[in-house]
Amino acid sequence: MVPDNSNYRGAEWAYVNEHGQRIDTKEMTEEQKREMADAERACIEVPQSTMKTALSGLEVAAELAPIGNKNAISDVGVAVACLETAFRGAEFNVRINLGNMDADTREPYERWLGDTGERFQGLVEQAMETVKVELGL
């Protein structure tokens, strides 16, 4: 079961089941609601995994920047830029999918986004500052 965003009507969404039939949220059975919650979590956890991978890569880049080969410092800057793009793109996906969840389910994801985003941004700034210094910018 997946959200059918083409049928948005204010606070009500329609969903499409495995047979392509639209199901209004008001008419969903408890089993369908559980399936929908599982599908919504999957729509968040896949891009969240991308965010985690980008963070891991950025941790390596930030550590490497001050101690790596100075002739490769521009490569570190490019890596940081690419990792930031991956992280932010995945973050957008997570945030758009959070809109389908109730507040109690959404809250831990939002807290994780805030904490992880803050850590990520700090590492971006740290690594890029080293890159700029090494490049004489």
Side-chain angles (χ1 to χ4, degrees):
M1 193 170 343
V2 295
D4 176 11
N5 297 349
S6 66
N7 195 31
Y8 180 70
R9 298 170 300 189
E12 295 301 320
W13 286 83
Y15 293 89
V16 178
N17 67 16
E18 63 276 7
H19 306 292
Q21 301 163 323
R22 285 184 162 185
I23 301 170
D24 194 294
T25 54
K26 293 182 205 174
E27 300 167 6
M28 291 172 72
T29 66
E30 288 304 312
E31 181 181 346
Q32 288 170 326
K33 288 177 184 177
R34 280 191 302 278
E35 288 175 6
M36 193 65 241
D38 290 345
E40 289 170 346
R41 274 191 296 283
C43 287
I44 287 174
E45 290 169 357
V46 170
Q48 185 182 40
S49 175
T50 299
M51 292 174 71
K52 291 175 181 178
T53 301
L55 177 60
S56 294
L58 183 59
E59 289 169 340
V60 171
E63 184 178 325
L64 183 63
I67 62 171
N69 183 332
K70 300 307 176 195
N71 293 326
I73 195 69
S74 62
D75 296 332
V76 173
V78 171
V80 171
C82 290
L83 290 164
E84 185 171 22
T85 299
F87 184 91
R88 297 298 177 206
E91 178 184 17
F92 294 154
N93 269 265
V94 170
R95 290 189 182 282
I96 195 71
N97 288 315
L98 284 177
N100 297 330
M101 295 183 148
D102 64 74
D104 289 341
T105 306
R106 189 174 52 239
E107 194 275 327
Y109 290 108
E110 289 176 337
R111 188 174 53 250
W112 182 87
L113 282 170
D115 294 346
T116 305
E118 190 174 304
R119 172 153 170 65
F120 190 89
Q121 189 59 41
L123 287 169
V124 166
E125 291 170 8
Q126 173 190 331
M128 290 307 278
E129 181 59 31
T130 301
V131 169
K132 289 175 183 177
V133 167
E134 292 298 327
L135 291 175
L137 301 175

